[in-house]
């Protein structure tokens, strides 16, 4: 076990909720890892849509007001120090994982994380490819196998199948012998078919021809009408939505097939995702890279100008 901590480091952070104008690239003092924690020297960090929602305060009931808050959650790097009680990881291990929701801070030279949310990086996987996996991989995996408990021979319909979670869900489902279908932009239908989805429909579609064909409808876009989703599932099927709102949580509390998912840091699940990536069965496209000192400008420009479907965005750290 090692608890040596550098005196100072740089990261992207903010001191109040708001738009991209609140982002700052500043010094911070990384704390020594406490019980069950690891301090990771970041090599790459991946951006997610939830980063923006958190920064704008949409999830402040969960994240609170303990400012400054670090930006970013998904990372890959090398363990710099391990706190008391850490048994799976040690200084020098190459890892991937996610920072706790209340803390964030992956867009940084150093990030503090709980051991439960960090696993070893497969040797053949680059730091950049590893950094885009944790949130989307966990969300897809837990939708498929925790919420819906899918088995080989069953079928999933992924609404928004070419987003990060959608792509991960298609690939993880295929590994487990699950039949695939989904929706996406019509111009990208061939790409969805190349991932194994059949049939592929547009975002606005008539569900009647697909009535009762699926054991799981995974709504990654949060825009599929409930009536349409009900039409698609067979008896005993599940509907999982990954875009939480108070109204959706209320619906999910009622008896029935509908559930809202916020992914949790389960070590075994993240390890399964990492193994799939290490075996070449899971890859997510990277749509842009930027070095940490230029991250604020790049994130601001990307938020304002980047069209959907452009791939995951990665911040690299020398």
């Amino acid at each position: 076990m090692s608890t040596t901590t550098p005196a100072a480091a740089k990261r992207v952070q903010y001191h109040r909720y708001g738009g991209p104008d609140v982002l700052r690239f500043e010094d911070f003092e990384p704390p020594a890892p406490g019980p069950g924690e690891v301090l990771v020297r970041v090599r790459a960090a991946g951006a997610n849509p939830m980063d923006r929602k958190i920064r704008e305060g949409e999830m402040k009931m969960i994240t609170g007001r303990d400012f400054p808050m670090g930006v970013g959650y998904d990372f890959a790097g090398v363990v710099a120090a391990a706190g008391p009680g850490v048994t799976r990881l040690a200084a020098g291990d190459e890892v991937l994982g996610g920072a706790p929701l209340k803390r964030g801070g992956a867009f940084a030279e150093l990030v503090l994380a709980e051991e439960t949310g960090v696993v070893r990086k497969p040797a053949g996987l680059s730091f950049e490819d590893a950094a885009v996996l944790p949130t989307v991989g966990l969300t897809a995996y837990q939708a498929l196998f925790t919420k819906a408990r899918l088995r080989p021979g069953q079928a999933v319909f992924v609404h928004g199948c070419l987003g990060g979670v959608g792509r991960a869900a298609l690939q993880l489902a295929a590994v487990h012998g699950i039949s695939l279908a989904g929706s996406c932009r019509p111009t990208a239908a061939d790409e969805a078919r190349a991932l194994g989805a059949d049939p592929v429909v547009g975002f606005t579609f008539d569900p009647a021809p697909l009535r009762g064909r699926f054991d799981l409808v995974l709504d990654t876009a949060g825009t599929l009408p409930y009536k349409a989703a009900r039409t698609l599932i067979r008896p005993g099927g599940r509907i999982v939505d990954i875009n939480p709102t108070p109204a959706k949580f209320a619906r999910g509390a009622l008896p029935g097939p509908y559930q809202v998912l916020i992914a949790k840091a389960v070590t075994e699940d993240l390890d399964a995702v990492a193994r799939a990536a290490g075996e070449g069965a899971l890859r997510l496209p990277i749509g842009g890279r930027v070095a940490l000192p230029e991250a604020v400008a790049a994130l601001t420009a990307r938020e304002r100008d980047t069209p959907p479907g452009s791939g995951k965005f990665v911040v690299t750290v020398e």
Side-chain angles (χ1 to χ4, degrees), residues 278-292:
E279 294 165 359
L282 174 60
R283 284 291 188 275
L284 297 175
I286 294 175
R289 297 170 174 83
V290 67
L292 180 62

Side-chain angles (χ1 to χ4, degrees), residues 12-26 52 55-56 71 296-297 299-301 303-304:
V12 179
Q13 60 185 19
Y14 53 101
H15 298 262
R16 61 181 175 86
Y17 291 121
D21 57 294
V22 304
L23 296 174
R24 300 287 184 270
F25 183 54
E26 298 176 328
R52 176 178 178 176
R55 188 203 69 223
E56 291 180 341
V71 177
V296 170
L299 288 167
T300 300
E303 186 171 310
R304 291 172 175 165

Side-chain angles (χ1 to χ4, degrees), residues 103-126:
R103 185 185 299 151
F107 296 172
E109 293 172 337
L110 291 160
V111 63
L112 190 67
E114 297 170 358
E115 183 190 23
T116 53
V118 182
V119 298
R120 286 186 177 87
K121 180 183 73 66
L125 193 66
S126 73

